[in-house]
Amino acid sequence: MPHVAGRHFLQIPGPTNVPDRVLRAIDHPTMDHRGPEFGVLGLEILSNLRRVFQTEGPVVIYPASGTGAWEAALTNTLSPGDRVLMCRTGWFATLWKEMAERLSLDPVFIDTDWRRGADVTALASALTADGAHRIKAVCVVHNETSTGCVSQIADVRAAMDAAKHPALLLVDTISSLASIDYRHDAWGVDVTVAGSQKGLMLPPGLSFNAISARALKAVETAKLPRSYWDWRPMLEANQTGYFPYTPGTNLLYGLNEAVKMLLDEGLENVFARHDRHAEATRRAVRTWGLEVQCADPLHYSSSLTAVRLPEGHSADGLRATILRKFNMSLGNGLGILKDRVFRIGHLGDFGDLQLIGTLGGVEMGLRVAGVPHKPGGVQAAVDYLAGNA
Ligand SMILES: *Cc1c(COP(=O)(O)O)cnc(C)c1O
């Protein structure tokens, strides 16, 4: 490939841009993961990380992609044949459900039209109807990355409490943690699943489970086979800052730095920054005369915006034009949204000028690719950002 001048814009909704501070932290010699220095690092990370999940309980770290942490959440808490209630909010919820089937669980899927978050009313009826408590877990994707729709986890918890249902609550926050407000303890979540390469601003390769006291109890009776994912040897080794097998040492250097950056900025400020960029993006999209995939303003995602193309126009064609002409990667449509939407990632290490550059690339791409639209989207975002500086 010939050299392309200027910085590539990686505006997919994960992996996200890795800040220079994190890259430099990773760029150190790998240390002995059984040596004395490592335990100090491990304890520091494991302690700071809890604040990002807003929990007092343990968080475990796997050298794995987010999919691994999905499997850990299910296998540590459930037994073969257990019924789990899930919500088809989009592509990632569908993959998690397929995993549950392969693990010999019995998932019941509540549908959506992929244009909003989980249907809490339908979840509530399913829980109320389950007087025998056959449902052992409720699994929800907090931010559905394929659609840009957020599910209201506090409402899901409230529905479970109202039904007096003892099921565990398992939540995927892979594309929301450290971008959208998320409270493991306050919302009564039993297992939170997360990954390194989205809001946490790291390369791919680490994933996480935050674990409630009830979930810790469940692991003692849950009968799904597990070995690599078993929380117990992990938690045992973590007490002194170590791991039961070789950790992702250099990624942990990066994680330590990324968590410090998030806590320095302050989680509230991090969330407000993402909210502001998402609102500016939606204003640009509306000005172009295009439609946001998320149809319910209460469910708008602050980490990404999925944009629908007019009938007869190819979202993948537009993305290819933008990559070729302007050196920017945007997210593709997944599942039933293939070629119908493109996704703008505005999460992670991201500032106002990067957003304006991103929206500029989209607006130029719409013009070059001949997608019908009105100009002025970038201006609408400029007006909003400058008016709310
Ligand atoms: C990215 C993502 C996943 C998949 O994570 P991998 O790291 O690719 O295994 C799962 N769920 C959501 C919501 C995601 O955004």
Side-chain angles (χ1 to χ4, degrees):
M1 292 283 273
H3 172 70
V4 182
R7 204 152 182 145
H8 177 69
F9 270 49
L10 181 67
Q11 295 317 134
I12 59 175
T16 64
N17 297 287
V18 180
D20 292 349
R21 258 177 78 174
V22 171
L23 287 174
R24 287 195 199 104
I26 291 170
D27 181 19
H28 280 89
T30 303
M31 65 165 75
D32 173 8
H33 61 286
R34 312 261 186 231
E37 254 184 299
F38 187 90
V40 177
L41 172 74
L43 285 176
E44 182 177 12
I45 295 173
L46 289 165
S47 151
N48 286 341
L49 200 52
R50 295 176 182 205
R51 293 171 61 192
V52 178
F53 287 82
Q54 304 196 47
T55 182
E56 307 276 318
V59 178
V60 296
I61 309 173
Y62 295 106
S65 88
T67 302
W70 267 350
E71 183 160 339
L74 297 175
T75 57
N76 277 285
T77 55
L78 296 163
S79 300
D82 275 357
R83 180 157 293 173
V84 291
L85 189 58
M86 300 178 117
C87 205
R88 194 199 318 258
T89 46
W91 180 247
F92 288 100
T94 304
L95 293 181
W96 202 10
K97 184 245 190 186
E98 287 170 0
M99 173 187 275
E101 274 166 354
R102 284 193 295 271
L103 291 171
S104 76
L105 295 167
D106 174 23
V108 174
F109 226 4
I110 291 178
D111 237 321
T112 77
D113 59 1
W114 291 42
R115 300 201 66 175
R116 60 207 78 241
D119 182 343
V120 179
T121 313
L123 282 172
S125 327
L127 291 167
T128 310
D130 181 40
H133 296 163
R134 287 203 53 205
I135 297 167
K136 300 302 178 196
V138 176
C139 301
V140 183
V141 175
H142 182 217
N143 184 69
E144 178 52 76
T145 321
S146 61
T147 64
C149 300
V150 169
S151 291
Q152 308 301 310
I153 303 303
D155 294 351
V156 173
R157 176 80 260 169
M160 294 172 75
D161 290 348
K164 297 198 167 48
H165 202 293
L168 295 168
L169 176 57
L170 277 43
V171 181
D172 169 348
T173 66
I174 295 175
S175 64
S176 56
L177 189 83
S179 308
I180 299 170
D181 191 11
Y182 179 77
R183 307 172 183 202
H184 177 88
D185 285 2
W187 294 346
V189 178
D190 292 296
V191 188
T192 296
V193 174
S196 57
Q197 75 273 27
K198 299 181 187 180
L200 285 176
M201 312 184 290
L202 292 165
L206 295 180
S207 59
F208 310 88
N209 278 172
I211 308 166
S212 76
R214 279 191 69 216
L216 267 184
K217 221 177 248 157
V219 72
E220 298 302 334
T221 50
K223 292 196 175 54
L224 277 178
R226 78 191 86 96
S227 167
Y228 183 82
W229 305 115
D230 199 313
W231 290 333
R232 290 166 297 182
M234 184 68 95
L235 290 167
E236 173 72 30
N238 282 178
Q239 299 224 335
T240 47
Y242 294 91
F243 288 71
Y245 39 73
T246 315
T249 309
N250 291 57
L251 284 174
L252 293 176
Y253 302 159
L255 177 63
N256 200 24
E257 191 68 16
V259 169
K260 282 181 184 163
M261 289 169 71
L262 290 165
L263 297 178
D264 275 355
E265 184 176 352
L267 287 181
E268 272 159 55
N269 298 324
V270 171
F271 303 145
R273 171 164 58 80
H274 284 80
D275 291 344
R276 185 164 164 276
H277 288 156
E279 176 59 28
T281 302
R282 289 189 296 267
R283 286 177 186 229
V285 172
R286 280 190 215 112
T287 305
W288 291 324
L290 301 179
E291 212 182 327
V292 172
Q293 174 66 14
C294 183
D296 184 341
L298 291 174
H299 296 178
Y300 281 155
S301 167
S302 288
S303 47
L304 78 136
T305 302
V307 183
R308 294 169 69 87
L309 277 230
E311 256 347 289
H313 290 270
S314 160
D316 288 342
L318 172 68
R319 289 189 316 106
T321 299
I322 291 172
L323 178 60
R324 199 172 61 246
K325 297 281 182 194
F326 305 114
N327 194 21
M328 175 163 71
S329 296
L330 295 167
N332 62 330
L334 294 166
I336 61 171
L337 298 178
K338 185 175 162 48
D339 206 30
R340 300 297 317 129
V341 305
F342 67 93
R343 297 173 297 141
I344 304 171
H346 33 71
L347 73 164
D349 183 43
F350 198 57
D352 287 8
L353 299 189
Q354 287 162 286
L355 178 63
I356 292 304
T358 299
L359 297 174
V362 174
E363 189 160 332
M364 290 190 289
L366 290 168
R367 197 196 281 198
V368 173
V371 176
H373 70 287
K374 296 188 213 62
V378 175
Q379 187 61 50
V382 166
D383 292 345
Y384 177 74
L385 293 177
N388 296 272

